[in-house]
Each structure stands twice: as C-alpha cells, then as structure tokens.
Amino acid sequence: MLDAKAIKKDFPALNQQVHGKDLVYLDSAASAQKPQAVIDAIVEVYRKDYSNVHRGVHTLSERATRHFEAARETISRFIGAQDSREIIFVRGTTEAINLVAHSYGRHCIKKDDEIIISEMEHHSNIIPWQLLCEQTGAILRIIPVTNSGDLDETAFKKLCSSRTKLLAITHVSNAIGTINPIKALIAEAHRHNIPVLIDGAQGIMHQRVDVQDLDCDFYAFSGHKLYGPTGIGVLYGKTKWLEAMPPYQGGGEMINQVSFEKTTYANIPHKFEAGTPDIASVAGLSAACNYIQQVGFEAIHQHENALLHYATEALMTVPELRIIGNPTERAPLLSFTVEHIHAHDLGTILDHAGVAIRTGHHCAMPLMKRYGLAATARASLAIYNTQHDIDVLVEGLHKARGIFKR
Ligand SMILES: *Cc1c(COP(=O)(O)O)cnc(C)c1O
C-alpha cells in the first residue's frame, strides 16, 4: 500500500487552502497535479540544459538533444514499446488522435470504408473521425453502451467487417470510469484485420500499459493527466504504420532533403515532429514516468481501488444521490447526480468547502444523452487522495442537500 499522505507532500499545489479550507483535489481526471520532481525537471532544463534540439553542434544543443532522446527512451520503456522511434511527441491526446485521423486517414481511408468508435468516447475521439468521414465519404459506426456502462460487445462483433478500416476506442471512460476490456477488443478487431487506436488519456495513469502485450496499433495519451506537464503528449504507433503513413504537418525537423522539386522526409519519429518541440515538457513527462514507476503500479492500483470502494460506499449514504453506471471494471472515478440539485450548484457549494470536483458533460455529450442527463458531478481519485478527502466530499454533499432542502 502506498502512503498517500507522504505522496501528497510531494505535490506543492495540494498544500494550500481554498476559501479558508484545506484543498481537497478530486479533479485529477481533468488534469492531475504535479510532483516537485516534475517541476524541478522543467526548471532544470531552462536553468542549465536549454537549447534547441537536433540542430546545433554546440555543447548545449548536443546536451539538450541527448536529454530529449533519453526522455523518449524512458517513455518508450514506460509503455513497453519495442522501439523508442515508435514514440511521437505531440501536444496531447487530442493532437495524437488528429494526427492518426489525418495521416492514417489519408493513407488508408476512402469512400464507404467504416470506422468504429463507441458511444462513450470523449469528443477528442469522435470529432476527428467525423471530420475524416466528411472529407472522405467514410462511415462512422458506433458501439452502443449498456445501462451498466459497459460496451455492448455483441453489437461490436456485429459491426466488425471487411469494410472496417479502424477501431478507435477509449481505454477508460472519463465520464463514468468504465475500464474497457481493450486487450480482448483488440484481439477481436485483429481477427478482422482491423487496426486499433486506443485513447489512453484516462488509462495510462491507473495501470501499467504494455503496448506490445496489448498489441494495439496506436495508443494516445496526455502528459498532464499523468502528473506531467501540459502541452505534451504521446502517440505510440507500430513502426509498420508510422513508416507507411504520410507526414502530418510540414516544417523544420521533419525533413531529410528539401528542394522545390522534391522534398524527402526524415525517418520516424522525426517525420511526425515538425517544428521545435516542447523540450522542457518532454523532460517533465519523463520525470513523471520515473515518479510513477517509483511509486509502482501495484501500489497505485491497490490504493486507488481501495479508495474507490470507500468512496462508493460513502456516496451511497447521501440520500437521492445516484451514481451513473455500474460497469464490470471501474477506474477510480465516480460520476453522480443528486436529485433537485444541479451539478454546477453542487460544484460551487463543494468549492466553498475546499473540494474541487468536475461538473458538466465531461466532453462526452453522446454518453450523457445515452443516460438522459445534461450534466453530472464527477469525483476522480489519484495517488495523493485519502479517505479523509472522501469524508470532506461527503460532508459537503450533505451540506448541499441541507441548503437545497425544499
Ligand atoms: C482528457 C481526455 C482526452 C483529451 O485529452 P487532451 O489532453 O485534452 O488532449 C481524450 N480522451 C479522454 C478519454 C480524455 O479523458
């Protein structure tokens, strides 16, 4: 078991008061706080090792390049990639998915081809495919979600066909916490020769991801939900795809030879990394991976699961509170409504109690519609949360009910 109280001390932003109350941060699924080790890594780059990468022959540039590529190795090992060239640095999950939609889309998708997504996707894993379908005449197919919040796997199997050119599916639902059985989904898709993109934005921080074991073709995630910096994320792609796919953006860093007659592109990963990258954030992300590895996924899983269990029981003591979905496996986040109280009012009252939760549609409007809801309140748990945090949340919810008593 990890010591959440000790871990909390590693995160400076958590040691503050809001409205005169100790901060209780239950919004890590929107963005996680950063440990000092990540902050230090970023500062270190600017204080000592800063220069552009892959450019100069001078010492600072060589040092910056060495650190940058070492970070790529660290992140590659973190997700079990076969080769660090399969790690493409992007701004985040959104850009990673857009990269695949543009590049793989141009390479492989034509009229009447089909792309499968699900009803529980984040808008980031819906709209790029809608845009691609508009441009190409391809067709978007949707796996429905059951009442409990699981994917309808029978419906999924029926959707797979020789017309299907991609399955793009979330590892974990950011709105209700469902952990999808992605390994089985990938195996099923591969039986039909369908490549698979996993939106790992909510999956990467709660369990060890091994892209080779999963055998996914693409895996996308953001640094900022993984206790790392904003502005950086990763697209993992199998070499065979990345080598076959055309560049996404053009510019510096991504070329081999440029002339007005014919430009040739750099090898992967640089082919997909046009322009000066976010050098400091790459260092920060690498530090975040090291930090998590030190805590250990076994300990993280035990702690978060125990806390999820505790939170579920505690929330159920609040009258008229309804937890949305009851999936087979759930990541440590709970979406709920309280009768007669709008989610935003709950959010405001809780804020005054020092508790930060997320309210709204969670960028998953189709899933909200599926449940007939406009908004929910969502409490998401992370390595630094404690049972005390849950107690403060539940106390705040009781208080909110008192205020809104009719
Ligand atoms: C947050 C999130 C995204 C988008 O991530 P960005 O960091 O905003 O690009 C995509 N999918 C899921 C499931 C998410 O939770």
Side-chain angles (χ1 to χ4, degrees):
M1 235 4 181
L2 59 77
D3 182 353
K5 271 199 199 134
I7 284 185
K8 205 168 204 167
K9 292 208 178 83
D10 292 341
F11 291 74
L14 293 174
N15 295 302
Q16 65 175 300
Q17 293 201 325
V18 168
H19 299 296
K21 307 276 168 41
D22 286 341
L23 171 65
V24 169
Y25 191 74
L26 297 173
D27 195 21
S28 301
S31 204
Q33 298 297 340
K34 321 303 172 200
Q36 189 64 47
V38 167
I39 299 166
D40 287 346
I42 296 167
V43 171
E44 197 80 337
V45 168
Y46 288 124
R47 285 175 68 97
K48 299 208 323 241
D49 298 326
Y50 186 73
S51 180
N52 210 333
V53 292
H54 307 130
R55 298 264 170 96
V57 294
H58 60 79
T59 303
L60 276 191
S61 177
E62 280 186 355
R63 203 192 290 157
T65 305
R66 212 163 50 239
H67 287 316
F68 186 81
E69 291 305 326
R72 198 191 302 275
E73 300 269 343
T74 300
I75 294 158
S76 171
R77 281 193 302 274
F78 185 75
I79 62 166
Q82 192 170 28
D83 187 330
S84 68
R85 296 179 311 145
E86 298 177 317
I87 304 299
I88 313 290
F89 289 124
V90 290
R91 278 189 300 130
T93 308
T94 303
E95 190 178 34
I97 296 172
N98 276 281
L99 190 163
V100 177
H102 279 259
S103 174
Y104 173 85
R106 234 184 312 146
H107 179 56
C108 284
I109 308 279
K110 40 183 208 321
K111 190 168 168 349
D112 298 330
D113 284 346
E114 297 184 0
I115 297 165
I116 301 178
I117 63 170
S118 87
E119 204 175 10
M120 69 168 81
E121 299 310 312
H122 187 283
H123 296 164
S124 293
N125 198 30
I126 300 175
I127 298 155
W129 308 117
Q130 286 180 324
L131 291 169
L132 180 62
C133 287
E134 272 173 30
Q135 285 155 12
T136 57
I139 298 156
L140 202 55
R141 299 277 182 215
I142 315 293
I143 310 167
V145 169
T146 65
N147 285 337
S148 63
D150 286 311
L151 287 179
D152 183 337
E153 288 185 55
T154 314
F156 164 62
K157 285 184 184 151
K158 281 193 196 139
L159 287 175
C160 291
S161 80
S162 59
R163 289 184 302 277
T164 315
K165 291 289 148 50
L166 187 73
L167 166 65
I169 191 102
T170 196
H171 191 166
V172 169
S173 159
N174 67 304
I176 57 170
T178 310
I179 303 177
N180 285 319
I182 53 170
K183 194 170 171 178
L185 296 173
I186 292 163
E188 176 66 19
H190 284 176
R191 268 192 282 284
H192 300 266
N193 291 318
I194 302 167
V196 183
L197 175 142
I198 303 294
D199 171 352
Q202 297 292 343
I204 189 88
M205 63 289 228
H206 299 304
Q207 58 214 291
R208 166 137 176 82
V209 166
D210 182 327
V211 290
Q212 285 188 75
D213 178 56
L214 288 172
D215 200 27
C216 53
D217 297 274
F218 301 100
Y219 193 98
F221 63 95
S222 301
H224 69 99
K225 293 177 179 172
L226 186 63
Y227 311 103
T230 52
I232 191 72
V234 167
L235 173 69
Y236 158 82
K238 281 184 181 167
T239 301
K240 67 166 182 184
W241 291 119
L242 296 179
E243 283 186 338
M245 283 157 49
Y248 168 50
Q249 294 176 333
E253 307 247 8
M254 54 77 72
I255 49 86
N256 179 21
Q257 283 287 328
V258 177
S259 73
F260 290 119
E261 292 72 41
K262 172 105 189 111
T263 289
T264 55
Y265 306 119
N267 292 328
I268 61 165
H270 306 294
K271 180 170 81 175
F272 293 106
E273 293 180 354
T276 301
D278 192 339
I279 299 162
S281 294
V282 165
L285 179 57
S286 170
C289 292
N290 286 333
Y291 181 86
I292 291 164
Q293 226 126 36
Q294 265 170 31
V295 178
F297 272 112
E298 194 113 348
I300 291 174
H301 184 72
Q302 264 185 23
H303 169 73
E304 291 183 340
N305 245 17
L307 207 54
L308 174 65
H309 191 72
Y310 183 81
T312 309
E313 305 255 290
L315 284 181
M316 282 177 353
T317 67
V318 180
E320 302 188 318
L321 183 146
R322 174 180 157 221
I323 294 173
I324 310 305
N326 183 25
T328 309
E329 269 198 281
R330 198 199 289 268
L333 70 85
L334 291 162
S335 228
F336 56 91
T337 57
V338 180
E339 210 156 318
H340 311 303
I341 311 181
H342 193 281
H344 292 304
D345 293 330
L346 274 181
T348 307
I349 293 167
L350 287 170
D351 180 52
H352 280 267
V355 182
I357 59 158
R358 176 75 188 273
T359 60
H361 54 61
H362 315 293
C363 302
M365 280 185 174
L367 187 66
M368 293 288 119
K369 185 170 169 221
R370 159 75 181 77
Y371 284 105
L373 299 165
T376 73
R378 181 189 71 190
S380 52
L381 310 173
I383 52 176
Y384 38 63
N385 289 120
T386 60
Q387 293 193 349
H388 176 72
D389 292 345
I390 308 296
D391 296 341
V392 179
L393 165 71
V394 170
E395 202 180 302
L397 288 168
H398 281 293
K399 198 162 155 199
R401 285 195 74 252
I403 294 170
F404 276 85
K405 198 144 78 197
R406 303 182 305 162

